[in-house]
């Protein structure tokens, strides 16, 4: 099964969400799933690094929070082409 994990914090930040995503990703891979992670790039450039999709983003003043409004992006096209079966969203900053 193809699973896309999306998050606003991962790898370069130490918090419960990044630890949880890393654990979840590893366990899903161990079970034989194809897992990729969508997260914010640390700059305006989108890129793909191994199984991580980084979307270009910008920072908000005074807090370590990044935002993106990308809609016409080759990385997003790649995600759509990959066509994940499940998309799991896990975030530190969601205020719904």
């Amino acid at each position: 099964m193809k699973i896309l994990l999306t998050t606003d914090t991962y790898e370069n930040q130490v918090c419960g969400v990044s630890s949880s995503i890393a654990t979840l990703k590893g366990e899903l891979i161990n079970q034989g799933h194809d897992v990729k992670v969508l997260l914010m790039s640390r700059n305006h450039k989108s890129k793909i690094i191994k199984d991580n999709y980084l979307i270009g983003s910008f920072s908000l003043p005074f807090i370590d929070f990044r935002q993106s409004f990308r809609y016409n992006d080759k990385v997003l096209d790649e995600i759509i082409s990959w066509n994940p079966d499940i998309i799991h969203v896990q975030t530190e900053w969601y205020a719904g």
Side-chain angles (χ1 to χ4, degrees):
M1 188 174 292
K2 294 188 269 185
I3 302 171
L4 179 66
L5 306 175
T6 68
T7 184
D8 57 351
T9 58
Y10 189 57
E11 290 187 331
N12 61 346
Q13 294 178 322
V14 178
C15 69
V17 170
S18 61
S19 298
S20 177
I21 289 286
T23 301
L24 179 59
K25 178 182 175 185
E27 291 302 317
L28 289 169
I29 290 170
N30 287 341
Q31 292 179 14
H33 298 289
D34 184 8
V35 182
K36 299 184 187 296
V37 179
L38 170 63
L39 62 147
M40 300 290 160
S41 173
R42 299 307 289 171
N43 55 42
H44 296 285
K45 296 181 181 179
S46 296
K47 56 189 167 189
I48 300 171
I49 300 175
K50 297 183 182 177
D51 54 0
N52 293 331
Y53 296 115
L54 289 83
I55 296 296
S57 66
F58 58 92
S59 63
L60 297 176
F62 309 114
I63 59 174
D64 187 20
F65 176 76
R66 301 201 63 85
Q67 179 66 48
S68 180
F69 292 109
R70 305 296 282 236
Y71 58 89
N72 188 13
D73 190 295
K74 290 180 182 180
V75 171
L76 293 177
D77 292 341
E78 175 69 26
I79 294 168
I80 292 166
S81 293
W82 182 57
N83 193 26
D85 300 303
I86 295 174
I87 299 174
H88 173 77
V89 179
Q90 190 165 344
T91 180
E92 189 79 24
W93 290 100
Y94 176 72

